[in-house]
C-alpha cells in the first residue's frame, strides 16, 4: 500500500506533532492472521491490560551514528510519556522497535538478523531509521511497520496501530521534528543535539543522502532554546550531531560559526557543561577555519574535531565526489593544530571503494583490498597518540561508567578518554587528575581533587571573552588545557561498523596510491611532531625555571657577597658573646 502520510493528510499539509488518528480514519488493512482468535474472559485483567494502548513493554535497538541515537532517545521519550514501559530485554517486550543505519553493510546485516529473530518470536515489529527511508521496498521489510527519519514524532501512532495488528508505513515529511519532544537519554549527562538533517554532498559511495535527504537546518533560536533546557536538566556534555556539521545553516542563510558562538554564550562559565562539535567534511569549514579555531579554543568546548579524509588520492577523492583535495584536507589539519593548543583530530580512511553509484565502477580483486586493509591496520596499530601524557595533570569531565564496571570515564579538553577509579557519585562532575599510564585507546589517571562547580553563570558574550579564556587562540595561549571518540555519521563509513573490505576500486600500484601512503605518513608525523612540540615546551618551561633560579644567584656581584659575609660574621659573633656571658653567669 502507499505511504499512509498521503492517506492521512492529502494535499492540505501535515498533521501537527503528536496528532493521533483512530484506525478508522487511517483506513488500514489488518494483517492476515491464520491463528484462532483469542477469547477473553470478562475477568482476565492481564490479557485485557495487554490490549490497552500505553500498557505494553517496548524493546528499542539502535544501530549507527549519534544522530540515530538521538532519534531513538526522542522515540523512547514519547513512548514513555504515553505510558509504555521500556526494556533492554527483547524477550519480555511486547513489541520491538529497531532504529537502523544504512551507511555500512555490517549494520544492515545485523538489522536483517534481528528482524528475522523478531519474526520467529512472533513479536510485533516497527523498523525506523535510514534503511526503510532509503529502501522501503526491501524484502526484509515486507509485512513490517516502518517509520521514517523525519516521522519520529509520530512513533506512538505507529506503535499503537502495529500492536493492533496493522502494518503502518509513515515516511513522507516536509518539516523537521520538534527539538522539545520528550526524551529518554541513554546517558543522562549527555545531550545529543541534531543541528540539521541531510547534507549538501553527493558522495558516490554513500547512501545516507537517499535516506536523510537534502540539507535541512534547525534555526539558531530553536537550538539555543534546547541548549538552555538541557543545561537546566543537568546535562554535562552537549554533542552537536549532523550528517555534516560544517554545512549547517547554508539553507537558511546562517553559518556554523554564528551558531557555535550563540551556543557557547549559553554555557556555564564554571565549565560544568562542555560542548563537542560533530563530524564535518572539509569543504564547508575551509572558509571558517579561523572562527572555528576560536570556538575550539574556548574553555567550555572540547578541542576535538572529526574530519574524514577517506582517501589520500586526489583521483580517488574525485571519483568519490568528495569536493575537496588532499591539499585542502592538509590545510584544515594544519590550521587547526596551529591555532588550537592540544587539538585532537580524528579521521577515516576507506580501504574498500566503491559504494552506491560507484558500485558500477570497475572493482579490483578482493586480495588487493585485503592487502591494503592489512597495511593500513598495521600503520594504525603503530599509532601511539598518547605517548608523553604520563605524569601530566589534566582536568577531566566524568560522564559514564566504563564497560568493565570498575572505572569511570572522563575526557580531557582534547577529548582524550581517561579512566579513573572513583565512586559513581562523581558522575557528572569535573576533576583534576594525574595521568598514571597510557594505552592505545585511552589513558589511566588518579583523581587529585574534585572541582566544585557553581553553575550559575553563562559565558559572557558571543565573542567568548571570559577572563579564563584564550581568545584569540594561539599556541602561546596558556588558558587552554593541553590534552577521542569521533562524531559519527553521514558521507563516511565511520558511521556504523567496520568497513566492508570487498568494496574497493583503487589499485595500490598507481602513483595516487603512493600519495595516499604519503598522506598517512604525514598524519603520523603531524601527530608525532605535535606531541614532541608539547614535550619540548614543557621541558623548556622546566629549564627556564631552573635557569631563573640559578641566574638569580649568579647575578650577585662581589659587593653583595662581601655584605652577606659581613652579616653572617656579625651574627656568629653575637652568638659567641651570648654563649660566653651565659657560661660566666653559670660559673659565678
Amino acid at each position: 500500500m502507499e505511504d499512509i502520510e498521503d492517506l492521512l493528510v492529502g494535499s492540505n499539509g501535515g498533521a501537527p506533532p503528536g496528532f493521533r488518528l483512530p484506525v478508522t480514519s487511517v483506513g488500514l488493512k489488518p494483517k492476515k492472521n491464520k491463528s484462532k482468535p483469542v477469547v477473553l474472559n470478562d475477568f482476565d485483567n492481564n490479557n485485557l491490560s495487554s490490549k490497552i494502548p500505553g500498557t505494553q513493554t517496548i524493546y528499542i535497538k539502535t544501530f549507527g551514528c549519534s544522530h540515530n541515537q538521538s532519534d531513538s532517545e526522542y522515540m523512547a521519550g514519547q513512548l514513555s510519556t504515553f505510558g509504555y514501559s521500556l526494556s533492554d530485554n527483547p524477550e519480555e517486550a511486547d513489541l520491538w522497535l529497531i532504529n537502523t543505519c544504512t551507511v555500512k553493510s555490517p549494520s544492515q546485516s545485523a538489522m536483517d538478523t534481528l528482524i528475522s529473530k523478531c519474526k520467529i518470536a512472533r513479536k510485533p515489529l516497527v523498523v525506523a531509521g535510514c534503511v526503510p527511508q532509503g529502501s522501503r521496498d526491501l524484502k526484509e521489510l515486507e509485512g513490517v511497520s516502518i517509520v521514517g527519519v523525519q516521522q519520529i514524532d509520530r512513533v506512538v501512532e505507529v506503535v499503537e496501530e502495529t500492536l493492533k495488528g496493522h502494518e503502518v508505513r509513515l515516511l513522507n515529511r516536509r518539516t523537521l521534528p520538534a527539538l522539545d519532544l520528550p526524551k529518554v537519554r541513554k546517558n543522562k549527562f549527555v545531550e545529543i543535539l541534531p543541528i540539521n538533517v541531510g547534507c549538501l554532498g553527493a558522495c558516490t559511495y554513500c547512501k545516507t543522502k537517499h535516506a536523510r535527504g537534502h540539507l535541512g537546518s534547525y534555526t539558531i533560536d530553536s537550538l539555543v532554546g534546547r541548549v538552555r533546557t538541557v543545561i537546566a536538566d543537568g546535562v554535562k556534555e552537549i554533542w552537536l550531531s549532523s550528517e555534516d556539521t560544517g554545512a549547517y545553516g547554508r539553507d537558511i542563510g546562517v553559518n556554523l560559526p554564528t551558531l557555535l558562538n550563540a551556543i557557547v554564550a549559553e554555557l556555564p562559565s564554571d565549565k560544568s557543561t562542555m560542548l563537542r562539535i560533530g563530524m564535518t567534511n572539509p569543504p564547508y569549514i575551509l572558509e571558517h577555519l579561523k572562527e572555528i579555531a576560536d570556538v575550539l579554543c574556548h574553555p567550555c568546548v572540547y578541542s576535538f574535531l572529526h574530519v574524514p579524509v577517506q582517501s589520500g588520492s586526489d583521483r580517488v577523492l574525485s571519483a568519490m565526489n568528495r569536493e575537496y583535495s588532499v591539499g585542502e584536507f592538509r590545510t584544515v589539519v594544519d590550521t587547526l593544530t596551529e591555532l588550537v593548543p592540544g587539538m585532537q583530530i580524528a579521521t577515516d580512511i576507506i580501504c574498500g571503494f566503491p559504494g552506491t553509484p560507484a558500485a558500477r565502477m570497475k572493482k579490483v580483486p578482493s586480495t588487493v583490498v585485503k592487502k591494503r586493509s592489512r597495511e593500513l591496520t598495521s600503520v594504525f596499530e603503530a599509532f601511539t597518540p598518547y605517548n608523553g601524557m604520563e605524569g601530566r595533570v589534566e582536568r577531566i569531565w566524568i560522564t559514564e561508567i566504563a564497560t568493565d564496571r570498575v572505572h569511570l570515564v572522563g575526557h580531557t579538553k582534547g577529548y582524550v578518554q581517561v579512566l579513573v577509579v572513583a565512586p559513581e557519585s562523581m558522575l557528572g562532575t569535573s576533576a583534576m587528575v594525574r595521568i598514571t599510564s597510557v594505552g592505545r585507546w585511552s589513558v589511566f589517571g588518579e583523581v587529585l581533587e574534585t572541582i566544585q562547580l557553581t553553575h550559575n553563570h553563562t559565558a559572557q558574550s558571543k565573542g567568548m571573552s571570559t577572563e579564563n579564556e584564550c581568545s584569540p587562540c594561539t599556541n602561546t595561549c596558556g588558558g587552554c588545557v593541553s590534552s577521542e571518540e569521533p562524531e559519527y555519521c553521514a558521507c563516511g563509513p565511520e558511521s556504523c561498523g567496520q568497513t566492508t573490505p570487498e568494496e574497493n576500486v583503487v589499485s595500490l600500484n598507481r602513483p595516487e596510491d603512493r600519495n595516499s601512503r604519503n598522506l598517512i605518513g604525514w598524519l603520523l608525523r603531524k601527530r608525532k611532531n605535535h606531541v614532541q612540540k608539547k614535550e619540548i615546551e614543557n621541558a623548556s618551561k622546566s629549564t627556564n625555571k631552573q635557569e631563573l633560579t640559578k641566574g638569580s644567584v649568579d647575578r650577585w656581584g662581589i659587593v653583595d657577597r662581601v655584605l652577606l659575609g659581613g652579616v653572617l660574621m656579625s651574627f656568629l659573633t653575637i652568638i659567641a658573646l651570648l654563649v660566653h656571658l651565659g657560661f660566666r653567669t653559670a660559673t659565678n
Side-chain angles (χ1 to χ4, degrees):
M1 65 175 293
E2 297 298 323
D3 188 339
I4 69 164
E5 183 74 0
D6 300 323
L7 297 174
L8 289 171
V9 179
S11 60
N12 297 324
F19 180 69
R20 301 159 70 198
L21 291 174
V23 65
T24 54
S25 301
V26 179
L28 298 177
K29 295 181 180 180
K31 297 178 183 177
K32 293 181 180 180
N33 191 347
K34 297 181 181 180
S35 60
K36 294 181 180 181
V38 178
V39 179
L40 296 179
N41 185 289
D42 289 342
F43 302 99
D44 193 348
N45 293 327
N46 291 332
N47 284 333
L48 184 60
S49 64
S50 68
K51 301 298 181 182
I52 300 174
T55 60
Q56 294 84 1
T57 300
I58 310 298
Y59 166 70
I60 302 178
K61 174 65 177 179
T62 305
F63 294 97
C65 61
S66 59
H67 199 158
N68 264 24
Q69 181 60 46
S70 178
D71 286 350
S72 290
E73 292 175 357
Y74 273 125
M75 289 190 285
Q78 294 169 85
L79 291 168
S80 179
T81 299
F82 275 95
Y84 291 96
S85 299
L86 306 176
S87 175
D88 293 328
N89 184 356
E91 303 301 324
E92 69 179 23
D94 299 299
L95 178 143
W96 292 11
L97 172 58
I98 304 174
N99 194 6
T100 62
C101 175
T102 190
V103 171
K104 287 190 175 181
S105 297
S107 293
Q108 191 160 335
S109 297
M111 176 209 73
D112 294 342
T113 301
L114 198 58
I115 288 176
S116 297
K117 289 182 178 180
C118 187
K119 290 180 176 180
I120 292 173
R122 302 181 67 82
K123 300 275 189 178
L125 174 63
V126 176
V127 177
C130 293
V131 170
Q133 189 74 58
S135 307
R136 65 180 71 184
D137 297 324
L138 279 178
K139 188 176 186 304
E140 290 79 6
L141 298 178
E142 290 180 1
V144 172
S145 290
I146 58 179
V147 56
V149 294
Q150 293 187 32
Q151 295 283 7
I152 60 172
D153 55 354
R154 301 183 63 185
V155 66
V156 174
E157 296 173 66
V158 177
V159 166
E160 286 187 358
E161 300 305 331
T162 303
L163 285 168
K164 294 175 183 178
H166 301 121
E167 178 185 343
V168 183
R169 297 203 160 208
L170 207 59
L171 293 170
N172 296 337
R173 184 65 173 269
R174 297 176 182 86
T175 58
L176 299 176
L179 292 173
D180 58 356
L181 294 169
K183 197 171 192 180
V184 175
R185 299 184 188 93
K186 183 178 180 181
N187 184 334
K188 69 177 182 179
F189 297 112
V190 176
E191 166 72 6
I192 303 172
L193 179 60
I195 63 173
N196 56 265
V197 300
C199 66
L200 294 175
C203 300
T204 57
Y205 59 81
C206 182
K207 199 175 180 180
T208 302
K209 182 66 174 278
H210 298 283
R212 292 283 182 179
H214 196 68
L215 180 67
S217 302
Y218 286 95
T219 65
I220 290 179
D221 286 344
S222 64
L223 291 165
V224 169
R226 182 64 182 175
V227 167
R228 290 173 182 158
T229 298
V230 302
I231 290 175
D233 287 345
V235 160
K236 301 304 179 184
E237 284 187 5
I238 299 173
W239 299 357
L240 301 186
S241 177
S242 166
E243 279 67 60
D244 186 355
T245 301
Y248 169 80
R250 288 174 177 259
D251 57 320
I252 58 174
V254 295
N255 57 41
L256 181 62
T258 304
L259 171 66
L260 295 178
N261 285 321
I263 291 177
V264 165
E266 301 296 329
L267 300 178
S269 59
D270 63 359
K271 309 175 193 176
S272 56
T273 301
M274 296 292 288
L275 178 70
R276 192 184 83 174
I277 303 174
M279 188 278 292
T280 178
N281 288 310
Y284 302 112
I285 61 168
L286 280 166
E287 62 188 88
H288 302 301
L289 284 177
K290 177 62 171 61
E291 294 95 329
I292 291 175
D294 286 342
V295 174
L296 290 167
C297 243
H298 191 279
C300 297
V301 181
Y302 286 119
S303 306
F304 168 83
L305 200 61
H306 180 202
V307 188
V309 62
Q310 308 300 18
S311 174
S313 161
D314 284 339
R315 182 185 66 81
V316 176
L317 288 174
S318 177
M320 292 176 171
N321 198 27
R322 289 290 287 169
E323 300 181 345
Y324 60 87
S325 65
V326 173
E328 288 172 324
F329 175 78
R330 291 176 188 264
T331 297
V332 171
V333 175
D334 285 340
T335 303
L336 294 180
T337 54
E338 179 68 24
L339 296 179
V340 184
M343 183 68 194
Q344 299 281 325
I345 296 178
T347 194
D348 311 294
I349 299 174
I350 296 179
C351 296
F353 173 77
T356 42
R360 293 188 293 270
M361 299 177 184
K362 183 180 178 181
K363 301 184 74 172
V364 297
S366 60
T367 53
V368 176
V369 181
K370 292 177 181 178
K371 182 175 184 293
R372 181 188 293 118
S373 181
R374 285 194 296 268
E375 288 183 350
L376 190 58
T377 299
S378 178
V379 171
F380 179 71
E381 289 180 346
F383 194 46
T384 54
Y386 306 134
N387 279 4
M389 287 192 68
E390 190 169 352
R392 281 165 52 179
V393 175
E394 297 274 358
R395 180 173 180 173
I396 66 170
W397 289 262
I398 303 171
T399 56
E400 60 185 313
I401 301 173
T403 54
D404 63 5
R405 311 299 300 180
V406 174
H407 296 85
L408 299 185
V409 180
H411 292 91
T412 67
K413 189 179 186 300
Y415 215 67
V416 175
Q417 181 174 272
V418 182
L419 303 179
V420 296
V421 176
E424 290 188 18
S425 59
M426 287 194 67
L427 287 170
T429 68
S430 183
M432 299 301 297
V433 301
R434 177 180 289 108
I435 307 302
T436 56
S437 62
V438 301
R440 180 176 296 167
W441 316 115
S442 57
V443 301
F444 294 85
E446 61 176 353
V447 176
L448 300 179
E449 64 172 318
T450 302
I451 297 175
Q452 300 299 320
L453 304 176
T454 58
H455 195 77
N456 57 358
H457 296 290
T458 57
Q460 296 175 355
S461 71
K462 292 185 178 180
M464 300 171 300
S465 55
T466 58
E467 63 177 351
N468 292 326
E469 295 170 19
C470 45
S471 180
C473 194
T474 65
N475 276 338
T476 59
C477 170
C480 290
V481 181
S482 173
S483 324
E484 160 186 34
E485 288 171 7
E487 164 63 32
Y488 298 124
C489 205
C491 294
E494 69 280 359
S495 304
C496 313
Q498 298 299 315
T499 303
T500 307
E502 288 74 16
E503 297 177 354
N504 184 7
V505 74
V506 186
S507 168
L508 283 172
N509 298 321
R510 297 182 181 179
E512 291 88 347
D513 301 300
R514 289 194 291 273
N515 292 337
S516 180
R517 293 177 182 178
N518 292 339
L519 178 65
I520 297 171
W522 174 78
L523 287 169
L524 292 174
R525 289 194 300 274
K526 191 78 179 173
R527 171 65 192 177
K528 182 178 180 181
N529 292 340
H530 188 64
V531 172
Q532 289 178 342
K533 185 176 181 180
K534 296 301 297 181
E535 292 176 347
I536 291 172
E537 288 177 357
N538 293 336
S540 177
K541 290 178 182 178
S542 176
T543 302
N544 290 340
K545 184 176 181 180
Q546 293 175 0
E547 289 179 350
L548 180 63
T549 303
K550 180 176 182 292
S552 63
V553 176
D554 291 343
R555 285 193 297 270
W556 285 9
I558 295 176
V559 175
D560 297 321
R561 297 185 184 189
V562 170
L563 289 173
L564 178 62
V567 170
L568 290 175
M569 289 297 296
S570 299
F571 180 73
L572 292 174
T573 301
I574 292 171
I575 294 296
L577 288 173
L578 290 174
V579 170
H580 179 69
L581 291 173
F583 176 75
R584 289 181 59 185
T585 302
T587 303
N588 295 333

